[in-house]
């Protein structure tokens, strides 16, 4: 499996488990990269995947929201 998909699955699981509430801003890309132990580009790919699936929303100059 591709690394960004693994990261996306973990983030989605946190959302489903209530770790991130609807409307809540997710931690920044760099913070997520550090927390997950992956590159910023991997986090961006994971977040884009979640956005395509409707789990998160990108807001320009503000970040990603559940």
């Amino acid at each position: 499996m591709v690394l960004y998909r693994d990261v996306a699955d973990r983030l989605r699981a946190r959302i489903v488990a209530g770790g991130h509430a609807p409307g809540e801003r997710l931690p920044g890309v760099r913070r997520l990269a550090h927390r997950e132990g992956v590159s910023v580009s991997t986090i961006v790919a994971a977040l884009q995947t979640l956005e395509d699936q409707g789990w998160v929303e990108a807001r320009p100059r503000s970040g990603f929201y559940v």
Side-chain angles (χ1 to χ4, degrees), residues 18-35:
H20 298 292
E24 179 183 345
R25 184 179 184 274
L26 293 174
V29 172
R30 287 184 188 93
R31 179 173 281 171
L32 284 173
H34 180 64
R35 184 173 77 186

